[in-house]
Structure formats: C-alpha cells, structure tokens
C-alpha cells in the first residue's frame, strides 16, 4: 500500500534543480533521499488523514440525529480490532523511523576526501575561511565535490541552514559542530541562520555559490589576490588582521609575544645573536618564511612559518603595510 | 491589571445567577469570599477568568506578530520589539494559558463533581496553587512592563545569559507558575486515589479523570526539573557561575537537555486533558458508550510514560550524538501510537450513534480534524532525515500550533461550552456558538496551514525579515489570524450575554451519565445533597430526556446505582 502511495506521490517530486510541490529545489546529493522520505511520509499522512476525516464525515452524516431514531447498541470494545489499529500504525512508524535514520546517517557522514572550509558564526554574520587562509562572507564551493564545514561560534548559538541542500546544523559556542554536503548543480543558493540569535537574526544570511567544474579554483586564486581590489597597504593591513599576525605583533608599540610593528621597518634591530641589522624588505620576507633564522633579542623563537601559506603578493603587501607603520603620522614611505 | 486580580463575575451577575435556591455563586458575597475561598468551584472560576485574560493578552501579542509579518522588513515595529512580542506570546500562552488551561479551570471545577465529592482532597493547597499562579503572572507582567524579554519562550543559553532584557523576572515567574502547576497535580493525584465514590473503581472513572491523572503525574515529576533549570539560569546570570555559558566553562546543550526534559512532557500536560474532554464529548453527543475504554485509559498512561523519554527530538541538529538521535527518534515514534489509538476509538464510538451538532460537539469534531493534522505532521519531524530540513522552520511552528491550538485550545473551548451551563447555570446562544466555532476553524486553518508550506520551502522561524518569495504565505496567514480573532470576539460577546441574560440551564442539559450532571446547575456550595454512587459513566441509557427546561433525568429512580 505504501509503495502505491509512494509512486502516486512521486509525481509531485519535480526534476532536480527545480522546486517541487512542497520542497525547494534539490541541489545536493542527499536532497533526493530527504525528499523521497518527505513525500513518502506525506503519502502515509494524507492516507490516514483522509481515512480519519472521511470516516468521521461519513458517520456524522449517516448517523446524524433524527427524530425518533435512537442510537444503536454496538460492542463497546473489540480487542482484535483495537490491536489491529495499534499494530498497523506502529509498523508504518517503524518504517518511517528506519528511512529517517538511514537518511540522517548519509546527511552527517562526510566522505574522507572532503574539502574543508572553516565556518565562524557571530552576531550577525558568517565568515568562511578557506584552506589558503582567504576569508569570505559567502560560501563558495566546487560542484560535485564533498565539502566539510567545521563550525564555531564567537558568541551565542547559531545554525547553518541551506534549504536547497537539506542540511542544517547548529553552531554552538565552545565546541566544533560539523556539517557536510556535495552540491550537484552550479548556481546560487540561500544560506540562513536558523537558531534565534537576537536583533539581526533574520538578516544573518549568506549565499552559497556553487562553481562550475574548474571554476572554484580560479575563483579562489582570484579572490585571494587582494591586490586586485585594494592598495598594497590595505591588503597588508587585511592580512595582518585575518592571518594571525595581530595575535603576537602590536601596532601601537605595546609588548606582545613578538616585537611591535610600530616603527619597526627600516630601523636597526638587535638579534638574539647580538648582531644588529636593519629591518628591511629581505629581513621581513625571511622572517615570514623562516622565522627562526634571525630572532629579535628578547623574544622566544616561537613563530610558525608561513611558507606556502602566504603568496609573494601577500608578503609584499605585508611589507608595504609595515612600511606605513614606520612612516610619519601620514604615511609617505621612504619614497 | 485584570489578570493579576481576577474579579469575580460581579456582584450583580452572581446574584442574577443564583437560580432559585443556594448555589456556590450566591453562597457568600464580597471580594474576600472569592479571593480566600476554599471552594474548588470558585477557584475553578477564578482560574477561568485569569486564564481567559491571559489568553486575551497572548492573543494580542500574536496579532501584533502577524501584523508585523504582513511585509518583509518593518511593518509596524522594530526587530527588537518583534523579538519581544513573539517571546511574550510564547511565554504567556505556554505558562499562563496552556499548562493550567484545562486542569486548573475545568479540572478544578469538574473533577470533584465527577467523583460526587464535596471538594478536592487538599482545598488549601488548591487555593495556594491559584495564589501562586497570580504571583507568577505578576512577575511575568512586571517583566513585560520593565522592557520585556527577547529570548524566545525557550530561554536558550548562552543568549539568555547575555541579553540585556528582563530574563530574571520572566524565569522567576515561570518558576513560581511551576509550583502552582505541581500543587494542582499533587491535589488531583491524592483526590483520585482517596475520594472516588462507591462503585467507581479505577476502570469506571470517566476518561477525563484518567487523563487528568496522567497529566498530574507529569506535572509532579517533570516540573521540578524546569524549576531547577531556571534557578541555575538565574544563578549563572547573577553570580557568574559557569553552568550553561561556555565563556564561563559551561555547556549550552546541557541547558537544552534540562529544558526539554520538562518542556517535552509539558506538551502532554497540555494535550492529555484535551483528549480526556474529547472522550466525554464524543460519547455524549453520539449517544454511544465510549468504544475501547481500557485502550483509551491505558494510552493516557502510555503517553505520560513515553513522553518522558523523547525530549532529545528537539535537539536533532544541535550536535548531540548520532546514537542519541537514533534512540530519541525511535522513542518519538512510539509515543505517536497511543494518540492514534485514541483517534480510532473516538471514531468507533460514533459508529451507529445518534449524533447531535451542539457547539461542544462541533469543537470535538474540529479537534479530530486538526489534531490529526498536528499529529501526522509530527511524523515528518520525528524522522531524522526530514527533521534536519524542517527543524526551526515554520513547519514546526505550524505543527505545534495544530497540536496546541488545534488540540488543546479547541478541546478547551469544547469543554468550556459543554460545562458552561454547569459553571453558571445558563445556556448560551447555540446559533452564535456555531458561527464562532466556524470562524475559529476557518481562521485557524488559514493562519497555520500556510505555515506548513512556508516551512517546507525553507522559511526559518523567529524571523523579523523574510525573503519576498514568502510574502503571499505570510499575508494569507495574517488574514487568517484576523478571522480567528473575530471568532473569539463573537464568542466573548455571546458568553457575556449568557452570563447576564442566558436561558436557565437544567441540571443535565446534554444527557450525560457522569455524576457532575446529577446536581443542579450551578451546583450548590456542598455539591451534592446525598452521598453519590457511581455506575458506568458511559451508560447513557441511565438518563432520559424530559424537556428543554428540565433536561435529562435519571431513567428510573436509583438508575446507575
């Protein structure tokens, strides 16, 4: 019976990429399975609803009060009947449970080769960090490749929800929650915050942009090249903030784990070996790529290398930014 | 405010209601005779006034929410105000209306009468319950007047420990209301154990009493957990102890576990009494013995027990383990079965009956229609794969309104119309009763069915702003809410008219066989003149119709004994 219903209702399921009767368009590998179950449950529900309301309407019309016609005495219980209408719904419920559980396992189990993107949620915006360190406010992904999201929250609970992918996962402060999906159709999709988080909850939106084959790598290289859209000094300032420099190097002269960048570039520094050198372009470049080569006196050799994590353009931008911090109040540089 | 100090129905009204001789309404006069009464009937009436006042307040919040959602972006209020409005709507409707709705009003009034008893076992505790309710309501009102609260009725941490709104007043209000609920539950348990009359074994109790008994067990066992949780929340906010806030070393999911450990069973506190009323109405208005009494009675207990084991289905996407999700999903489906069994039993009761469409029966039929939708849409949410998509969307909002409004409120209205003549000794206008029932039914479906469609298409809940594609659904929903409000406006009109000018009601206007109909309407202060003996509560042959003025009377002297 359920199979028949299912077939009838399958007609309601639209072709992939278009919204169906009750669901948004399907754009991930799990969406089809979820919709399959959705319409199966809809079929079962519609059947029982029509059964119950149909019987009810038939009875209230057929057995409505009539002058002089009394209610007929019927059995006040029938164990066989009652067991039947307990067992049939129970069986169907267990079938729905099993499909639901299987689908859930698929939704939460990422393949081993998934591309990883870090997600940071905060009131009221999303940040997506790519393996090369680039950060975007929208989620760009390649088509037909599993993507795994490792998510953390800076403040309260948020929830990442992409209806077209049929995925949703809370982003909880103090722990990493993970989600994954594999987009099947290039295009632009809506991403919502689904856990109430205050004033801007309903505007905490982002886009998921699914790139055509090959398009994602080009986009990422392009987007990561900050110099296309900003001056080298601005690009350097951006990298200083988002790539972690700021955690150890102040720009106001105060002491942190590493030397301050205020008035650093172009001045003499004493190294741990006692040698004094001028902090020029080559010294900064060497310190980024091989931080332990020449450590400034008084600091521990704890800085990690950025070899392979910053491009030549990135390093140049950072150098330009450091220069601006050594120039007068209005940066004019050495030029 | 009226919700704080529910006035008695007025001196004049009370006097007018005294039909002939002495009744509980005319037994004593003055405000003090109400506020400090130990009479379960007066406490029931005061609860009724308080709950209806709260319902009006919560309804106004709901209409403001729906009006704001007429357009995306700002329609009438700011985002912060909107967030407070939906929070207050939820908090008022859950804690001040739905939890006490049936047990504290109809239950308080009817339960001792159904037992042929003078009162509940612990009348002072009963009065304390009402006084606590008023104190709790004052706290909620104070929270509203001191700027409101914007956490959602669920108070999720860490949002609730960081927001600047009146969280402490609200949670203390809910804490106090919890004790009010526990007192009612405790009282009912003791009363049902100790005060059943001769002839009323456990399996000869009216099914409303079985459902109130199951409800009382949940109230007594689950509510303390809410109390403790809310106190911990207050401690975290005021003393900075890290329990739920990760910034202090706490775990926000722990709060959700604690909260839903109460709040899921709480939905059965709301729906079980509604099912009890349904059993009474379907039997009486079909002139048929209830079908499958034992299955219905056992299913109430089964719902109460299983209801404790399914709270984790509110947390399927929170990050709780896959194993926990699997177990909670399985148990959730198990709790669906007893509800389905009840529906089939009600249908079977109507078979070959002689069905009348008095206003209470219209609500009973609407209940089956709406609760079927509410229950069946629960299957989508209990199944893990579909819940991931539907969680925290309007689909959930529609689902719980179909169960809580379509179920609890509709059954409450059915019960209110059914026992109204017993409460006040007056009939109301049947014609206007039917018109209001139709408006409520149409308005409700228009308001909430559209929300299923919105939700499955991905509209998240608690959204001030929304994508333009959802505008038609939101506008249909808002229009529905106005029709619903019109239905209640009509209802308020004819019920008020009934209080003052309504036709006198006989002791037993509907032809029911339960004991509350064996005393006058309204009942005298002492309820019954003689000790009562109970028979089969659904043997409707024990009464026969005389006339509209005299109603139904025992078929033979001593019938049912």
């Amino acid at each position: 019976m359920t199979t028949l219903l299912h077939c009838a209702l399958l007609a309601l399921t639209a072709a992939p990429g278009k919204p169906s009767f009750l669901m948004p368009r399907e754009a991930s590998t799990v969406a089809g399975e979820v919709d399959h179950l959705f319409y199966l449950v809809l079929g079962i529900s519609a059947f029982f609803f029509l059964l119950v309301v149909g019987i009810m309407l038939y009875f209230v019309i057929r057995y409505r009060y009539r002058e002089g016609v009394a209610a007929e005495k019927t059995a006040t219980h029938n164990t066989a009947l009652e067991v039947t209408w307990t067992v049939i719904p129970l069986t169907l419920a267990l079938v729905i449970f099993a499909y639901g559980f299987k689908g859930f396992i698929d939704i939460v189990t990422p393949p081993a080769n998934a591309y990883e993107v870090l997600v940071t949620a905060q009131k009221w915006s999303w940040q997506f960090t790519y393996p090369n360190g680039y950060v975007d406010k929208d989620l760009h992904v390649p088509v037909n490749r599993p993507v795994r999201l490792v998510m953390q929250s800076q403040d309260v609970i948020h929830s990442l929800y992409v209806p077209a992918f049929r995925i949703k996962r809370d982003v909880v402060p103090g722990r990493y929650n993970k989600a994954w999906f594999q987009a099947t159709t290039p295009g632009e999709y809506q991403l919502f915050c689904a856990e109430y988080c205050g004033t801007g909850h309903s505007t905490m939106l982002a886009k998921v942009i699914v790139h055509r084959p090959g398009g994602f790598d080009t986009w990422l290289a392009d987007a990561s090249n900050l110099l296309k859209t900003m001056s080298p000094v601005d690009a350097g300032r951006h990298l200083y903030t988002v790539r972690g420099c700021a955690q150890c190097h102040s720009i106001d002269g105060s002491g942190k784990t590493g030397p301050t960048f205020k008035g650093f570039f172009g001045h003499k520094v004493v190294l741990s070996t006692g040698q004094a050198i001028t902090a020029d372009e080559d010294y900064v470049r060497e310190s980024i790529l091989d931080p332990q080569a020449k450590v400034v006196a008084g600091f521990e050799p704890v800085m990690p290398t950025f070899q392979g994590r910053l491009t030549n353009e990135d390093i140049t931008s950072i150098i330009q930014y450091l220069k601006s911090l050594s120039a007068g109040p209005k940066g004019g540089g050495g030029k | 405010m009226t919700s704080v100090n529910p006035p008695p129905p007025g001196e004049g009204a009370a006097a007018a209601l005294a039909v002939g001789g002495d009744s509980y309404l005319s037994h004593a006069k003055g405000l003090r005779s109400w506020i400090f009464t130990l009479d379960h009937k007066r406490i029931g009436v005061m609860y009724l006034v308080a709950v209806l006042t709260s319902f009006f307040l919560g309804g106004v919040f709901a209409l403001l929410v729906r009006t704001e959602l007429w357009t995306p972006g700002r329609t009438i209020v700011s985002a912060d105000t909107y967030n407070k409005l939906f929070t207050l709507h939820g908090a008022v409707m859950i804690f001040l209306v739905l939890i006490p709705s049936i047990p504290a009003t109809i239950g308080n009034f009817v339960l001792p009468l159904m037992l042929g008893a003078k009162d509940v076992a612990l009348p002072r505790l009963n009065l304390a319950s009402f006084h606590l309710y008023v104190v709790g309501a004052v706290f909620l009102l104070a929270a509203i007047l001191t700027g409101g609260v914007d956490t959602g009725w669920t108070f999720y941490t860490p949002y609730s420990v960081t927001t600047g709104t009146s969280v402490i007043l609200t949670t203390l209000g809910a804490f106090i209301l919890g004790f009010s609920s526990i007192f009612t539950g405790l009282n009912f348990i003791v009363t049902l154990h100790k005060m059943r009359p001769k002839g009323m074994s456990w399996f000869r109790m009216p099914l409303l009493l079985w459902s109130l008994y199951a409800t009382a067990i949940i109230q007594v066992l689950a509510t303390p957990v809410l109390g403790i949780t809310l106190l911990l929340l207050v401690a975290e906010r005021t003393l900075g102890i890290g329990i739920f806030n990760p910034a202090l070393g706490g775990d926000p999911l722990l709060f959700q576990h604690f909260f839903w450990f109460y709040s899921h069973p709480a939905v059965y506190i709301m729906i079980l009494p509604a099912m009890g009323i349904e059993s009474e109405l379907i039997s009486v208005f079909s002139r048929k013995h209830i079908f499958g009494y034992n299955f219905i009675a056992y299913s109430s207990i089964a719902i109460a027990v299983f209801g404790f084991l399914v709270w984790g289905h509110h947390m399927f996407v929170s990050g709780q383990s896959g194993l926990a999700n699997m177990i909670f999903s399985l148990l959730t489906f198990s709790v669906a079965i007893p509800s389905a069994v009840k529906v089939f039993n009600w249908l079977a009761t109507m078979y070959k009956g002689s069905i009348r469409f008095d206003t209470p029966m219209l609500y009973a039929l609407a209940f089956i229609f709406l609760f079927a939708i509410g229950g069946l849409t629960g299957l989508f949410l209990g199944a893990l794969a579909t819940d991931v998509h539907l969680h925290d969307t309007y689909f959930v909002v529609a689902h719980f309104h179909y169960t809580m409004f379509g179920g609890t409120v509709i059954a409450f209205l059915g019960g209110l119309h059914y026992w109204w003549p017993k409460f006040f000794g007056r009939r109301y206008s049947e014609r206007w009763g039917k018109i209001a029932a139709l408006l409520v039914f149409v308005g409700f479906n228009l308001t909430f069915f559209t929300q299923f469609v919105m939700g499955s298409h991905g509209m998240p809940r608690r959204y001030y702003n929304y994508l333009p594609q959802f505008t038609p659904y939101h506008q249909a929903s808002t229009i529905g809410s106005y029709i619903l409000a019109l239905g209640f406006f009509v209802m308020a009109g004819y019920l008020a008219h009934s209080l003052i000018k309504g036709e006198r009601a006989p002791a037993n206007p509907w032809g029911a066989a339960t004991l509350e109909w064996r005393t006058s309407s309204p009942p005298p202060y002492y309820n019954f003149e003689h000790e009562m003996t109970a028979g089969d509560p659904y043997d409707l042959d024990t009464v026969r119709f005389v006339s509209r003025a005299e109603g139904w009377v025992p078929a033979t002297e001593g019938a049912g004994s």
Side-chain angles (χ1 to χ4, degrees):
Chain A
M1 178 192 71
T2 53
T3 332
L4 271 173
L5 274 164
H6 190 203
C7 290
L9 276 145
L10 215 57
L12 295 168
T13 324
K18 288 200 176 160
S20 64
F21 171 51
L22 282 172
M23 295 290 257
R25 57 179 166 165
E26 295 175 359
S28 76
T29 47
V30 299
E33 187 179 1
V34 172
D35 289 11
H36 209 72
L37 177 62
F38 181 90
Y39 284 109
L40 173 70
V41 180
L42 184 66
I44 293 173
S45 300
F47 174 80
F48 276 98
F49 177 73
L50 292 175
L51 182 76
V52 165
V53 173
I55 291 174
M56 180 176 90
L57 289 178
Y58 176 74
F59 283 0
V60 299
I61 294 167
R62 175 79 178 73
Y63 304 119
R64 68 186 182 279
Y65 167 77
R66 288 189 192 86
E67 192 71 48
V69 181
E72 213 173 299
K73 279 251 173 294
T74 53
T76 57
H77 73 98
N78 180 329
T79 309
L81 190 62
E82 290 174 79
V83 169
T84 308
W85 69 43
T86 308
V87 171
I88 290 175
L90 183 64
T91 313
L92 286 173
L94 290 176
V95 169
I96 297 172
F97 157 75
Y99 275 115
F101 180 54
K102 187 194 167 295
F104 180 74
I105 294 298
D106 293 338
I107 292 172
V108 296
T109 315
N113 62 340
Y115 182 81
E116 197 165 286
V117 179
L118 301 177
V119 180
T120 309
Q122 61 184 33
K123 294 180 192 170
W124 290 281
S125 66
W126 298 95
Q127 278 189 357
F128 302 96
T129 309
Y130 296 87
N132 72 351
Y134 173 70
V135 177
D136 203 292
K137 64 179 180 39
D138 290 319
L139 177 58
H140 291 257
V141 294
V143 72
N144 293 332
R145 179 162 176 202
V147 175
R148 183 166 181 260
L149 305 174
V150 177
M151 311 190 288
Q152 56 174 327
S153 167
Q154 303 283 49
D155 38 49
V156 300
I157 301 176
H158 302 278
S159 189
L160 182 136
Y161 176 34
V162 185
F165 296 167
R166 312 289 189 269
I167 61 156
K168 182 181 291 119
R169 194 72 164 174
D170 287 359
V171 187
V172 182
R175 65 169 72 191
Y176 293 100
N177 269 357
K178 292 123 194 161
W180 87 276
F181 61 86
Q182 179 170 334
T184 52
T185 320
E188 198 177 286
Y189 303 93
Q190 188 65 51
L191 184 152
F192 295 98
C193 175
E195 184 64 58
Y196 172 70
C197 57
T199 313
H201 172 51
S202 66
T203 48
M204 189 169 159
L205 309 176
K207 294 276 182 222
V208 183
I209 293 126
V210 179
H211 290 273
R212 294 176 187 293
F216 175 73
D217 290 333
T218 319
W219 167 82
L220 184 60
D222 228 33
S224 314
N225 184 359
L226 301 170
L227 291 173
K228 280 186 88 168
T229 54
M230 29 177 121
S231 71
V233 172
D234 288 340
R237 181 183 297 118
H238 176 75
L239 291 167
Y240 166 82
T241 316
V242 302
R243 300 309 297 275
C245 314
Q247 265 68 54
C248 300
H249 301 281
S250 76
I251 53 170
D252 58 3
S254 61
K256 282 182 156 182
T257 316
T260 181
F261 286 163
K262 187 187 182 187
F264 180 76
F265 189 87
H267 292 83
K268 281 262 186 284
V269 290
V270 180
L271 302 180
S272 54
T273 55
Q275 185 193 358
I277 60 157
T278 302
D280 60 4
E281 286 90 343
D282 283 330
Y283 172 68
V284 173
R285 180 181 165 79
E286 182 184 30
S287 297
I288 290 172
L289 298 177
D290 185 9
Q292 267 63 271
K294 291 174 185 150
V295 178
V296 177
F299 294 97
E300 296 297 318
V302 291
M303 178 169 155
T305 175
F306 282 80
Q307 182 84 50
R309 294 163 63 198
L310 290 173
T311 64
N312 279 331
E313 288 79 9
D314 291 342
I315 293 170
T316 308
S317 302
I318 291 170
I319 291 170
Q320 293 305 112
Y321 176 54
L322 260 58
K323 277 184 191 170
S324 76
L325 295 171
S326 285
K330 279 282 173 192
K335 296 267 165 79
Chain B
M1 293 291 289
T2 41
S3 75
V4 198
N5 253 334
E11 294 298 308
L17 288 165
V19 186
D22 175 60
S23 88
Y24 79 99
L25 292 167
S26 59
H27 183 75
K29 298 201 185 307
L31 198 59
R32 287 175 58 89
S33 77
W34 280 86
I35 294 175
F36 298 108
T37 183
L38 296 180
D39 181 1
H40 69 100
K41 301 181 290 302
R42 285 195 166 195
I43 293 172
V45 169
M46 288 194 291
Y47 253 124
L48 183 65
V49 173
V51 165
L52 291 178
T53 307
S54 303
F55 184 72
F56 173 76
L57 190 66
V60 168
F61 289 136
L63 289 172
L64 289 170
V65 163
R66 282 308 331 158
T67 304
E68 170 51 43
L69 290 170
W70 182 257
T71 58
R74 187 188 171 102
T75 307
I76 50 167
V77 295
S78 69
D80 285 329
T81 308
Y82 172 81
N83 291 344
K84 287 174 186 171
L85 286 174
F86 76 67
T87 301
L88 294 170
H89 165 68
V92 167
M93 286 302 196
I94 298 280
F95 296 115
L96 290 179
V97 179
L98 289 168
I99 297 271
S101 62
I102 295 171
T105 61
I106 293 170
N108 249 330
F109 193 94
V110 171
L111 180 138
L113 290 173
M114 277 186 159
L115 297 177
K118 156 79 188 82
D119 208 311
V120 291
L122 308 163
R124 282 171 211 282
L125 194 68
N126 200 18
L127 181 64
S129 162
F130 177 69
H131 286 171
L132 281 180
Y133 176 90
V134 174
V135 173
V138 168
F139 269 79
L140 283 194
L141 212 58
I144 294 169
L145 296 176
T146 55
V149 60
D150 74 338
T151 58
W153 81 275
T154 45
F155 307 117
Y156 269 20
T157 56
Y159 188 82
S160 57
V161 291
T162 50
T163 176
T165 53
S166 304
V167 175
I168 292 180
L169 277 175
T170 313
T171 47
L172 286 179
F175 177 83
I176 294 164
L177 290 169
F179 271 93
S180 159
S181 175
I182 291 171
F183 285 1
T184 299
L186 194 60
N187 220 337
F188 285 3
I189 290 174
V190 177
T191 307
L192 289 173
H193 271 273
K194 305 303 288 182
M195 296 179 70
R196 278 175 289 118
K198 248 186 254 166
M200 191 184 285
S201 62
W202 280 97
F203 286 91
R204 272 201 162 183
M205 288 201 306
L207 286 161
L208 175 66
L209 300 186
W210 266 110
S211 70
L212 286 173
Y213 184 71
T215 305
I217 291 170
I218 307 175
Q219 286 176 300
V220 170
L221 292 182
T223 317
V225 178
L226 177 75
I228 294 163
T229 310
L230 296 179
L231 280 191
L232 288 175
L233 183 67
V234 171
E236 182 159 60
R237 257 187 93 98
T238 52
L239 307 173
I241 302 167
I243 300 155
F244 306 125
N245 186 357
L248 302 169
D251 182 354
L253 292 197
L254 181 67
F255 177 84
Q256 295 182 21
H257 280 291
F258 282 178
F259 181 81
W260 290 116
F261 185 86
Y262 164 76
S263 294
H264 193 79
V267 309
Y268 299 110
I269 294 179
M270 306 177 212
I271 197 66
L272 274 168
M275 293 167 156
I277 289 181
E278 187 70 9
S279 297
E280 306 299 328
L281 298 185
I282 293 284
S283 166
V284 168
F285 289 95
S286 302
R287 305 301 315 154
K288 282 287 300 292
H289 192 285
I290 194 82
F291 184 87
Y293 176 99
N294 287 6
F295 264 61
I296 297 181
Y298 282 128
S299 69
S300 288
I301 301 299
I303 288 171
V305 172
F306 284 121
F308 271 100
L309 306 173
V310 300
W311 78 89
H313 69 212
H314 295 269
M315 301 169 63
F316 284 160
V317 301
S318 68
Q320 93 185 336
S321 78
L323 179 67
N325 279 347
M326 185 195 81
I327 292 168
F328 280 123
S329 174
L330 185 61
L331 290 169
T332 298
F333 281 104
S334 72
V335 84
I337 305 308
S339 305
V341 167
K342 282 182 194 269
V343 172
F344 294 134
N345 279 315
W346 294 325
L347 289 179
T349 301
M350 291 160 64
Y351 176 64
K352 293 196 172 178
S354 172
I355 302 169
R356 289 168 180 273
F357 302 107
D358 296 303
T359 306
M361 185 59 169
L362 293 187
Y363 283 107
L365 298 173
F367 176 96
I368 291 181
F369 183 99
L370 300 173
F371 184 71
I373 295 176
L376 289 165
T377 50
L379 299 176
F380 296 82
L381 300 169
L384 285 163
T386 39
D387 179 73
V388 169
H389 175 62
L390 299 169
H391 185 91
D392 268 332
T393 68
Y394 265 76
F395 193 94
V396 177
V397 178
H399 161 71
F400 70 70
H401 278 93
Y402 264 87
T403 53
M404 295 292 96
F405 193 117
T408 305
V409 175
I410 291 292
F412 173 68
L413 294 175
L416 184 64
H417 285 82
Y418 179 62
W419 282 291
W420 182 269
K422 185 56 65 184
F423 263 91
F424 301 113
R426 303 272 186 173
R427 292 179 187 267
Y428 46 83
S429 160
E430 263 299 325
R431 176 192 297 175
W432 283 106
K434 289 187 169 97
I435 291 172
L438 183 70
L439 285 171
V440 166
F441 183 77
V442 170
F444 173 82
N445 280 297
L446 184 57
T447 308
F448 292 106
F449 201 82
T450 45
Q451 298 188 0
F452 281 122
V453 184
M454 255 194 274
S456 67
H457 279 295
M459 169 80 211
R461 66 192 281 209
R462 294 175 171 176
Y463 259 37
Y464 169 72
N465 197 5
Y466 55 84
L467 301 181
Q469 70 184 88
F470 295 114
T471 309
Y473 299 114
H474 274 298
Q475 296 193 341
S477 181
T478 302
I479 291 170
S481 71
Y482 295 159
I483 297 174
L484 190 51
L486 180 65
F488 280 109
F489 183 75
V490 170
M491 196 184 302
Y494 70 74
L495 288 181
H497 178 268
S498 155
L499 279 182
I500 301 157
K501 292 194 167 173
E503 184 191 342
R504 306 267 185 230
N508 189 355
W510 311 117
T514 41
L515 294 181
E516 77 272 28
W517 304 105
R518 300 271 292 276
T519 184
S520 59
S521 301
Y525 179 68
Y526 290 104
N527 291 353
F528 297 95
E529 282 177 28
H530 310 288
E531 191 185 347
M532 302 303 288
T533 312
D536 183 340
Y538 299 105
D539 183 0
L540 299 176
D541 288 342
T542 55
V543 289
R544 66 183 168 83
F545 184 70
V546 179
S547 67
R548 183 170 168 86
E550 287 179 60
W552 299 65
V553 297
T556 52
E557 275 310 312
S561 303

